[in-house]
Amino acid sequence: MFRPALALLLLAFVGPLAGQAPPPLKDVVERFDAAQAQAQTLQCPFTLTLRRALLKTPSVTKGTMYLQGSDFAHFAFQPPEDLILHLTPKALISYSPEAREGELMKIGIIKNSDRKFLGLGQKLSYLSDYFQISLSEAKDSPNTWFLALAPRTLSLRKRMQALNLWVDKETWLPRQIQWIERSGDSWFLELGPLRINQALPAGVTGFKLPEGVPLRSEFSFFATRKK
């Protein structure tokens, strides 16, 4: 699916002062990619805001995100949300512990391949093959650069409108990530304080669905539906 490092890794560069013109995009790509290469593990609290085109009110959930190199990204949602998302380069798994139900989306070279483009761990140098990247100073998030990624290919444009990243000027770590579907549905991920290269819980690194839990071949997390 993607190399889940979420590009959230520390790099000791001092960013430009507020008000300065953006640096060359090439420099940003190099620093962003170098930062992502530094971490083996990462964990942080998150806030996820989902806006559905068919619904007036967005849903806001919180939890903890765990990343291990290019192996997986793991989202453990806080109650009352009954949800765990476990994402690997080849599959997306959602699991509801209380309901004891699961869903699976396999990631192939063609089928569901656009789900690799969630801003979670790909290098900007890699994404630039598939997206046109523009750089500006963020107006709504102080001391950050705003990277707007517009799909280049027709196949991507059929599924998504944009991928947006907010990158801290001083640490070169993403603070926020947003992906917008063609339908208008959007997912806005805000990241809290990061803990880098520390041991992850055993239940995360060894995540497995309990025996007997059925896995439906769908992934309603991305579905547009009325409540």
Side-chain angles (χ1 to χ4, degrees):
M1 178 274 208
F2 48 75
R3 304 173 191 86
L6 197 52
L8 303 172
L9 313 166
L10 183 61
L11 184 67
F13 283 106
V14 177
L17 297 176
Q20 286 187 339
L25 181 59
K26 179 177 180 293
D27 291 353
V28 174
V29 169
E30 290 177 354
R31 291 185 177 189
F32 189 94
D33 289 359
Q36 142 175 302
Q38 299 300 310
Q40 300 300 313
T41 66
L42 179 146
Q43 53 189 299
C44 68
F46 71 83
T47 300
L48 179 64
T49 301
L50 280 72
R51 297 182 182 275
R52 302 290 190 183
L54 298 179
L55 300 175
K56 292 183 178 180
T57 304
S59 65
V60 179
T61 54
K62 296 178 181 292
T64 303
M65 180 182 68
Y66 305 90
L67 301 167
Q68 179 169 291
S70 60
D71 297 332
F72 65 78
H74 186 99
F75 293 81
F77 288 76
Q78 293 178 357
E81 190 74 14
D82 177 30
L83 181 64
I84 292 173
L85 294 179
H86 191 80
L87 318 178
T88 74
K90 294 184 178 181
L92 313 181
I93 295 174
S94 69
Y95 172 54
S96 300
E98 293 184 8
R100 290 185 60 82
E101 295 178 346
E103 297 177 346
L104 171 68
M105 175 187 285
K106 292 184 178 180
I107 302 298
I109 296 176
I110 298 176
K111 187 177 181 181
N112 298 322
S113 61
D114 61 302
R115 298 306 179 189
K116 295 180 181 180
F117 303 115
L118 302 181
L120 300 173
Q122 296 97 343
K123 293 182 178 180
L124 279 176
S125 55
Y126 171 75
L127 289 174
S128 64
D129 290 339
Y130 301 91
F131 293 88
Q132 180 69 44
I133 303 175
S134 61
L135 172 67
S136 63
E137 186 162 4
K139 297 179 180 179
D140 53 354
S141 182
N143 202 38
T144 61
W145 296 119
F146 176 67
L147 296 168
L149 287 75
R152 290 182 182 271
T153 67
L154 178 60
S155 60
L156 275 177
R157 291 198 297 268
K158 287 181 178 179
R159 293 292 296 271
M160 66 187 308
Q161 295 184 36
L163 171 63
N164 299 318
L165 303 174
W166 286 257
V167 179
D168 190 278
K169 289 183 178 181
E170 295 183 356
T171 66
W172 296 95
L173 308 178
R175 288 188 191 170
Q176 301 168 340
I177 302 167
Q178 180 187 45
W179 54 100
I180 305 173
E181 299 275 290
R182 186 76 261 167
S183 65
D185 290 358
S186 68
W187 291 261
F188 183 60
L189 185 67
E190 301 172 86
L191 306 175
L194 308 177
R195 297 174 60 191
I196 298 171
N197 290 334
Q198 297 186 22
L200 302 183
V204 171
T205 57
F207 173 77
K208 289 184 179 179
L209 291 176
E211 291 188 11
V213 172
L215 270 179
R216 296 189 297 272
S217 297
E218 57 187 55
F219 211 71
S220 57
F221 180 78
F222 292 113
T224 300
R225 62 187 186 277
K226 294 182 180 180
K227 292 185 178 180

